[in-house]
Amino acid sequence: METLHIALIGFGTVGKGIYESIEEQREQLESLLGKTISIDAILIKDGDINREVDNNVLLTTNVEDLLSLPQLDVVFEAIIGVEPARTYLAKFIEKGCHIVSANKELLAHKGKELRSLATKYKAGLRYEAAVAASIPILSTLREGLKSNQIQEISGILNGTSNFILSELQQKELSFEQALNEAKEKGYAEADPTNDIEGWDAFYKILILSDLVYGEQPEWDRIIRKGIDEVTSADIKIAESIGFRIKHIASLTPSADGPVISVEPVAVTSSHPFFHVAGVNNALQVTGNLAGSITLNGPGAGAYPTASAMIEDLLSLYRNSSESVFYSPSKENGAEVADWLLLGEISEVMSIELLPLSESGAYYASGRRSDIETYLEQNPFLKLYPIKGLIKEHDRSNLALV
Ligand SMILES: NC(=O)C1=CN([C@@H]2O[C@H](COP(=O)(O)OP(=O)(O)OC[C@H]3O[C@@H](n4cnc5c(N)ncnc54)[C@H](OP(=O)(O)O)[C@@H]3O)[C@@H](O)[C@H]2O)C=CC1
Ligand SMILES: N[C@@H](CC=O)C(=O)O
């Protein structure tokens, strides 16, 4: 049988997960590929750490050692940030190697450049793991919803944030304790700023925007908030009146291009994200023909991420197209939305607020810009968009709480 020569860049949570998963599934993979697999080399940063890998694998801190291998078919990249990953991948693509990456920061910034380089050098570039780890959202969009116009994608896209919010909701833990647990489990990035400030979900939704609409909005026009300002008190008040706070990224088309928001949202029990707990991610995709489809599964961790990357490896040896583009209609989606406001009202304004509890929770309906104007005069109020249905009888019931 022919041999498929592989190298790994990065041997942390994800890199190790890929190595172990290939060993675990070797027989099945080789039978699916019709080739034997050889992991020839691994690039790491710290040459002093002892790594449990086969003696035949070249462990190196010098990328040139990988570039000078006599044959290299596929490079798995799992390091952090744009550089040096971009420079390394460009060199491998120029050699005609296929790339499988999990690096969402790199792909949000440089995906377009790498995709055109890959086309030029006839190399495959896959990155399913970069968005929602094990959930096959990119292949669902590419392969399963090609004939649809995608009207909305919304998702819980950061496993660490969902894990922390769930822990705060279910247990008497501090934010720091929950974050430390997420680090220990390999969900959070080494520097978790990207997770808790919403950057990680921001990069992921940008990758989806590129894939579905062929473009990204201007970054400074995107609302991006993390979970760093969500308190246990917010979570408990919301819970007591039937809401759950979730960190959600949304993508919709508009006449002016894609519109994105990334922020904590109050979801009602009717919404499919209400019960998405722990490290799980979920995506709701609305297609004009298919209607709304929800996918739910592990959004971080060694093996869920390795699963997506190994599926990418298999897809490289099948024929499948790189992207699905759809031109949105000229109509913008409805701008009026439902809002949950938590906190103290200092100045009354001409906006209808429905009290939802005695401990400072209010419902409002209106345009974001109007509500935000209201907030300028009421700095002690926090705003959460609501997702899920609010029926009239729910509103009056809640008002009595
Ligand atoms: N953890 C997860 O659940 C998921 C992570 N991802 C993405 O996968 C990537 C890797 O994440 P993760 O495995 O968690 O990160 P880790 O911090 O666990 O591992 C990073 C690895 O990259 C290596 N590395 C860092 N810089 C360099 C460099 N310049 N040259 C060579 N190797 C380098 C490190 O080497 P050394 O060991 O020597 O320090 C380490 O092995 C990130 O882009 C992340 O966003 C995507 C989906 C899920
Ligand atoms: N740190 C990320 C890892 C997966 O992308 C997360 O928590 O979702």
Side-chain angles (χ1 to χ4, degrees), residues 9-15 43-46 49 51 78-81 84 88 102-104 129-130 133 186-190 200 299-302 305:
I9 301 183
F11 202 67
T13 302
V14 175
L43 182 71
I44 30 88
K45 194 172 181 184
D46 184 343
I49 299 175
R51 324 265 175 172
I79 63 174
I80 293 162
Y88 290 172
N103 187 341
K104 69 286 298 219
Y187 306 154
E189 310 284 312
D200 182 80
T305 310

Side-chain angles (χ1 to χ4, degrees), residues 27-35 314:
E27 205 179 315
Q28 186 182 350
L29 288 174
E30 291 184 342
S31 141
L32 285 166
L33 288 163
K35 300 173 198 282
L314 296 178

Side-chain angles (χ1 to χ4, degrees), residues 67-336:
L67 286 161
S68 57
L69 288 168
Q71 194 190 337
L72 187 57
D73 301 303
V74 181
V75 172
F76 284 87
E77 184 260 323
I79 63 174
I80 293 162
V82 176
E83 288 294 353
R86 187 202 66 87
T87 306
Y88 290 172
L89 293 194
K91 287 183 181 174
F92 287 106
I93 290 172
E94 283 165 14
K95 279 174 64 81
C97 295
H98 298 317
I99 306 292
V100 176
S101 173
N103 187 341
K104 69 286 298 219
E105 186 168 352
L106 168 70
L107 289 152
H109 280 90
K110 300 289 173 190
K112 197 170 179 186
E113 174 189 318
L114 290 173
R115 280 191 296 277
S116 51
L117 199 64
T119 306
K120 180 172 170 193
Y121 288 93
K122 297 189 169 50
L125 173 64
R126 295 284 189 276
Y127 42 91
E128 184 68 74
V131 183
S134 71
I135 301 177
I137 181 61
L138 304 189
S139 59
T140 298
L141 289 164
R142 280 193 186 115
E143 313 291 341
L145 291 168
K146 236 180 184 143
S147 66
N148 277 255
Q149 295 179 354
I150 303 300
Q151 297 167 328
E152 181 172 8
I153 300 181
S154 63
I156 294 178
L157 297 184
N158 185 258
T160 301
S161 297
N162 201 50
F163 179 81
I164 293 173
L165 292 176
S166 301
E167 293 287 290
L168 295 185
Q169 178 230 326
Q170 289 162 9
K171 301 178 191 165
E172 294 292 319
L173 285 185
S174 70
F175 193 99
E176 280 308 313
Q177 284 170 319
L179 175 59
N180 284 337
E181 216 181 304
K183 282 188 193 165
E184 278 160 27
K185 290 176 186 291
Y187 306 154
E189 310 284 312
D191 172 2
T193 312
N194 279 357
D195 293 307
I196 63 179
E197 290 187 359
W199 288 104
D200 182 80
F202 173 86
Y203 295 138
K204 291 168 176 169
I205 198 84
L206 286 168
I207 293 172
L208 293 175
S209 181
D210 268 340
L211 176 73
V212 175
Y213 301 119
E215 59 178 324
Q216 301 180 356
E218 300 282 332
W219 286 22
D220 56 10
R221 286 179 42 221
I222 298 176
I223 292 164
R224 179 202 45 81
K225 295 179 194 162
I227 58 160
D228 40 340
E229 286 181 14
V230 179
T231 61
S232 296
D234 290 354
I235 291 172
K236 289 200 168 76
I237 296 174
E239 193 77 16
S240 72
I241 51 175
F243 293 99
R244 210 158 263 178
I245 309 284
K246 293 285 168 196
H247 188 254
I248 296 182
S250 298
L251 167 67
T252 46
S254 85
D256 304 323
V259 179
I260 285 179
S261 63
V262 179
E263 61 191 329
V265 166
V267 296
T268 68
S269 60
S270 66
H271 195 276
F273 295 170
F274 189 82
H275 291 291
V276 177
V279 71
N280 273 15
N281 283 185
L283 287 116
Q284 187 172 40
V285 181
T286 307
N288 65 325
L289 303 176
S292 277
I293 293 169
T294 304
L295 303 171
N296 179 350
Y303 301 114
T305 310
S307 161
M309 297 183 83
I310 290 172
E311 291 298 328
D312 273 348
L313 169 69
L314 296 178
S315 91
L316 282 168
Y317 291 88
R318 289 194 301 264
N319 276 336
S320 75
S321 65
E322 286 285 346
S323 40
V324 277
F325 294 148
Y326 140 64
S327 304
S329 75
K330 293 288 167 205
E331 281 171 35
N332 284 338
E335 287 177 2
V336 172

